[in-house]
Every structure is written in C-alpha cells, then in structure tokens.
Amino acid sequence: MARKIAAVVFKGKMGEEPSDAAYWRTRSIVERLETIESIRAEYHEWKYGTAQPRLQRVLRVLKSESG
C-alpha cells in the first residue's frame, strides 16, 4: 500500500503559513487514515525491519490444582 506524498508549496511571508491542522481538515477521512497507515508502516520498517509487526508471544506456566 505504498502511497506517494505530493509536495505542497506555499509562498508567503514568515508567520503567514497555513497550519498543518487546516490542511488536514481539507482531506477526506479515508485519505487521513491512509496517510497514518503509511507513516505507521514506514516507522515499523525503519524500527523493526518489517512493515507488518507481529504480535508478541506471551507464555505463562500455571500450576494446576491437581499437581
């Protein structure tokens, strides 16, 4: 699900930059979620070497009442 991020250029004076929140409010909810998923996958690829992290295995040894 690799998506390309388009470059957005704004020419103006310092202090007149539009806010990031204003930009993302103009995007659809689907586009927002796709972007978050893309960032998450990129982070996991960088941190763990895979875009799809696996569930951590947990093992517990319990004493049975009969033993």
Side-chain angles (χ1 to χ4, degrees):
M1 178 195 295
R3 287 182 48 97
K4 292 185 179 183
I5 297 176
V8 176
V9 179
F10 174 79
K11 187 174 179 179
K13 295 181 181 179
M14 290 292 288
E16 293 180 0
E17 309 88 12
S19 72
D20 289 340
Y23 169 77
W24 285 108
R25 279 193 292 271
T26 67
R27 313 310 330 152
S28 72
I29 192 71
V30 172
E31 188 174 356
R32 293 182 209 178
L33 290 172
E34 287 174 346
T35 302
I36 290 170
E37 175 58 22
S38 173
I39 292 168
R40 185 208 59 78
E42 186 177 317
Y43 171 77
H44 279 281
E45 179 70 35
W46 168 78
K47 179 88 173 172
Y48 305 110
T50 178
Q52 292 297 323
R54 299 186 58 129
L55 293 175
Q56 183 180 19
R57 291 185 175 97
V58 178
L59 176 65
R60 255 193 239 177
V61 178
L62 301 175
K63 248 184 178 180
S64 68
E65 291 182 20
S66 63

